[in-house]
Amino acid sequence: MRLRSLSLVDFRCYRSAEIEFGDGATVVVGANGQGKTSLLEAAGWLAMGASFRGVADSALVRSGAPRAIVRGVVERGGGEQLIEVELAATGRSRVLVGHSPLARRRDLAQGLRVTVFSPDDLELVKGAPALRRRYLDELLASSSPRYEAARADVERVLRQRNALLRTPRLDAEARTTLDVFDDQFARAAGELVRGRLRLADRLLPEIRTAYVALAGAPDEVAASYEAEWAGEEPTADSDVEGMLLRALAERRAHEIDRGTTLVGPHRDEWRLSLRGLEARSCASQGEQRCLALALRLGGHRVVSDVVGEDPVLLLDDVFSELDPARAAALVRNLPGGQAFLTTAGAVPDGIRVGRSLRVSAGVLEPAA
């Protein structure tokens, strides 16, 4: 899998840009705020159908422009495919694959997959549970579109169920509708939770291996999936739907009183630990950063194994946060395949640079 070219019009600070890429690493050099991350963000959108920085499509359109255009040519399996995106400042965005409209953004992952490393990854370890849930769900979506469909179903039924729970008085008909929503929610949530659990089991050995390589420390990483509705840690073989339905029935009065769904995968936690202590609160910043990198490396390896090809690496200024020993360890353990790397300083030793670009105020030019 390779991204062979990228074309931008009115994307972020770029008025226009045309870039072709080869194998190896493309290095983008420049001061902060000049457009380095935006270039990776555009490439990431072609794979994820959204900004990896978590902003709305409208925020990606250059100030004063009505729309932004991102085009990319992806090479895989000996053929090439054109992906075209029109991001609207107001209204709906449009995606074309091979000149045909794409109905669902989640299907973009079948054309291009990426693994993003960024300084914000530290929040995967020290941030709120929602960030770790999203990490698992994004890996699931990269591995199989059915899990992205399950997540979309969970979110849809959750919205409908919460709207009903906020009804001032629930009559008999409304309670019957709530029963229907409970069944739909349990089916979709069961599919998503089992996917998370299977993924977590497969991920942990890869994360442990990566952490040892990066930290130069013994294998001390553990993880547990915590779901209040299950009573105990569930497994992929658990009757997830049955446990969810029982918990929904038990909490219904409380949910009606609160006007929101209190049971389900949207409240679960994937808890990470080092040396038996919670990594979020007890690990040092250096340990947390190593663990965050191990999460990205482990996730990349699992997706590569499942789909049979390496996702493209997007490394956004990650080496600036690492000491020399850990930076060297990351370079030694980077997977093969195509990579894009941004930096405000020197390129770490050991990176095989295929092309080097310099960006200033959204203008790209070849760098020495």
Side-chain angles (χ1 to χ4, degrees), residues 66-87:
R67 67 189 61 83
I69 305 296
V70 181
R71 295 185 182 92
V73 175
V74 177
E75 178 188 294
R76 58 180 307 191
E80 290 188 345
Q81 187 173 63
L82 174 65
I83 303 174
E84 302 172 276
V85 180
E86 181 183 291
L87 303 169

Side-chain angles (χ1 to χ4, degrees), residues 136-189:
L136 292 175
D137 292 345
E138 287 177 349
L139 286 178
L140 281 174
S142 290
S143 303
S144 172
R146 89 173 200 256
Y147 290 114
E148 180 61 22
R151 179 171 67 164
D153 287 344
V154 167
E155 293 174 351
R156 174 182 55 80
V157 179
L158 196 58
R159 287 193 300 271
Q160 295 171 330
R161 194 173 186 276
N162 286 342
L164 186 59
L165 287 170
R166 288 192 293 270
T167 303
R169 291 174 183 263
L170 288 178
D171 57 19
E173 183 179 355
R175 289 177 182 272
T176 299
T177 303
L178 193 55
D179 290 338
V180 173
F181 285 160
D182 286 359
D183 288 338
Q184 294 175 349
F185 184 67
R187 283 198 301 272

Side-chain angles (χ1 to χ4, degrees), residues 33-48:
Q34 301 304 302
K36 300 190 305 297
T37 298
S38 296
L39 197 64
L40 269 58
E41 192 175 20
W45 208 106
L46 296 176
M48 303 166 69

Side-chain angles (χ1 to χ4, degrees), residues 16-61:
S16 68
E18 297 272 353
I19 320 112
E20 293 188 357
F21 307 110
D23 296 331
T26 296
V27 176
V28 184
V29 182
N32 293 333
Q34 301 304 302
K36 300 190 305 297
T37 298
S38 296
L39 197 64
L40 269 58
E41 192 175 20
W45 208 106
L46 296 176
M48 303 166 69
S51 164
F52 63 71
R53 299 162 85 177
V55 303
D57 289 350
S58 58
L60 304 176
V61 181

Side-chain angles (χ1 to χ4, degrees), residues 197 224-235 238-240 243:
L197 292 168
S224 60
Y225 191 91
E226 299 179 1
E228 184 182 355
W229 47 266
E232 59 186 29
E233 185 174 357
T235 69
S238 299
D239 179 17
V240 176
M243 289 189 289

Side-chain angles (χ1 to χ4, degrees), residues 8 10 39 45 49 53 103 114 145 160 241 246 259 262 293 303 321 323 347 350 356:
L8 307 179
D10 291 330
L39 197 64
W45 208 106
R53 299 162 85 177
V114 297
Q160 295 171 330
E241 287 90 343
R246 285 191 292 273
L262 301 174
L293 290 170
V303 172
E321 304 289 335
D323 60 47
V347 179
S356 187

